[in-house]
Amino acid sequence: MNYFAAVVNEDEIRASTVIPPYNILASFHYFKKKQELIKDCVLKGYNVFIDSGAFSAENSGKSIDINEYCRFLIETGVKIYAGLDVIGDARKTLANTEFMIKEYGLDPIPTFHLGSDPSDLKKLFDYPYIALGGLVFSSGTMRYCDEVWSIILRDRPDMRVHGFGMTNIDLMSRYPWYSVDSSSFKGCKRFGRQQILWNEFEFKTFSEEEYLALLEQQGYNVEGLTNKEKWFLYDFFSVQSYKVYGAHLKEVNKIKNFDYLTAQQKLL
């Protein structure tokens, strides 16, 4: 399933939940003072995935208080959430996950960061659901992902795997993810360009001008729209592309043979 990530306000949540499935990923770092909004989403039956936001916090020179994070999860009533990860430290990440279980009775999803030693991945095999982080695409990412997935498929093929920040289409389609999240649906208002599902489940990148022309074709009076209304439409139609593509991959993966991954050689 696709979670729509980095939602930071009610408009982005609304654009992601007009049509089912209702899957959103929100960061504790951004929403820790918006408990009522998250609780409202839970009460509406949305599938809310909470990430600690440790990466964003680190980039802004801040840290996440694990006790505050745990209390937030309990207060909001969310059912799907990641453990508090420590970027670049697999042992501390696992220790935080175990702390959340032991001290608060929570059921967090532990994260394995690409670039960590594969032996640390095997320490997570007692969990039914894990997440892979650090998936910013580079020339070596696919090779590393191949090795990680070969271990998972050989040793724990029934384990559910989430891909954090899975914006790369090739990586999304290459592996049998249980779920992924992405903020790419916000590309048009952030960067002036947007990927849209186009022609037999392939994505095409449109400039903002081309995107506005598509909205005109849908019958919208683009000249009469406020920026807020345009941004909502950008998000809404982009979300639909990823929902359709996610549903497509779910069906394809039911019959897809992933032997090309289990035959991979070990990392150098």
Side-chain angles (χ1 to χ4, degrees):
M1 67 181 73
N2 288 82
Y3 285 94
F4 298 97
V7 289
V8 297
N9 56 50
E10 293 181 65
D11 285 341
E12 291 179 358
I13 291 174
R14 189 162 60 91
S16 303
T17 56
V18 174
I19 297 174
Y22 309 122
N23 303 325
I24 59 172
L25 184 144
S27 167
F28 168 71
H29 177 62
Y30 293 113
F31 279 84
K32 60 184 177 181
K33 295 183 179 179
K34 299 179 181 180
Q35 288 190 14
E36 293 305 315
L37 180 54
I38 296 299
K39 288 167 70 173
D40 183 61
C41 289
V42 172
L43 288 173
K44 288 178 178 176
Y46 299 165
N47 295 315
V48 182
F49 191 134
I50 298 294
D51 175 32
S52 69
F55 180 76
S56 299
E58 184 179 80
N59 284 343
S60 61
K62 300 179 181 178
S63 61
I64 301 295
D65 184 307
I66 191 169
N67 292 289
E68 185 182 6
Y69 180 45
C70 290
R71 290 192 292 269
F72 174 89
L73 296 173
I74 293 169
E75 175 65 22
T76 55
V78 296
K79 303 299 182 184
I80 308 167
Y81 42 87
L84 175 58
D85 54 326
V86 179
I87 311 301
D89 194 324
R91 291 184 179 180
K92 287 185 179 179
T93 295
L94 182 57
N96 282 345
T97 300
E98 293 173 343
F99 175 87
M100 293 171 69
I101 295 169
K102 181 179 179 180
E103 299 299 325
Y104 285 91
L106 292 168
D107 188 22
I109 297 169
T111 300
F112 176 80
H113 294 102
L114 296 189
S116 299
D117 192 302
S119 63
D120 291 318
L121 172 66
K122 296 182 180 182
K123 296 175 184 177
L124 305 182
F125 281 0
D126 287 337
Y127 293 87
Y129 195 179
I130 70 168
L132 300 184
L135 293 169
V136 177
F137 188 72
S138 66
S139 59
T141 301
M142 184 174 291
R143 186 176 183 184
Y144 194 92
C145 277
D146 281 357
E147 172 65 12
V148 168
W149 270 105
S150 72
I151 295 170
I152 293 171
L153 291 173
R154 282 196 301 262
D155 298 344
R156 274 299 311 275
D158 59 329
M159 187 167 62
R160 293 173 288 172
V161 181
H162 178 83
F164 276 128
M166 180 49 61
T167 60
N168 183 274
I169 302 302
D170 291 335
L171 294 180
M172 196 184 302
S173 61
R174 185 171 175 81
Y175 310 106
W177 304 102
Y178 178 79
S179 58
V180 298
D181 72 83
S182 172
S183 61
S184 290
F185 73 97
K186 302 196 294 184
C188 200
K189 68 185 182 187
R190 294 170 68 191
F191 309 117
R193 61 186 184 276
Q194 181 63 57
Q195 286 186 319
I196 297 293
L197 195 59
W198 202 259
N199 186 30
E200 296 297 324
F201 298 107
E202 293 182 359
F203 279 81
K204 179 179 177 180
T205 300
F206 288 84
S207 67
E208 186 169 12
E209 291 73 20
E210 292 170 329
Y211 206 166
L212 288 171
L214 290 176
L215 292 179
E216 288 276 9
Q217 293 173 18
Q218 295 291 326
Y220 291 96
N221 175 19
V222 171
E223 293 296 325
L225 296 175
T226 65
N227 281 338
K228 183 177 181 179
E229 290 169 335
K230 283 193 292 186
W231 292 339
F232 176 83
L233 290 173
Y234 293 163
D235 288 351
F236 170 74
F237 283 109
S238 298
V239 161
Q240 302 321 306
S241 282
Y242 283 98
K243 285 184 179 182
V244 170
Y245 191 63
H248 165 68
L249 289 182
K250 181 179 180 180
E251 294 305 311
V252 167
N253 287 348
K254 289 179 180 178
I255 58 174
K256 188 173 181 178
N257 187 325
F258 290 98
D259 286 351
Y260 61 87
L261 295 174
T262 54
Q264 294 291 320
Q265 296 182 356
K266 291 184 178 180
L267 289 168
L268 296 177

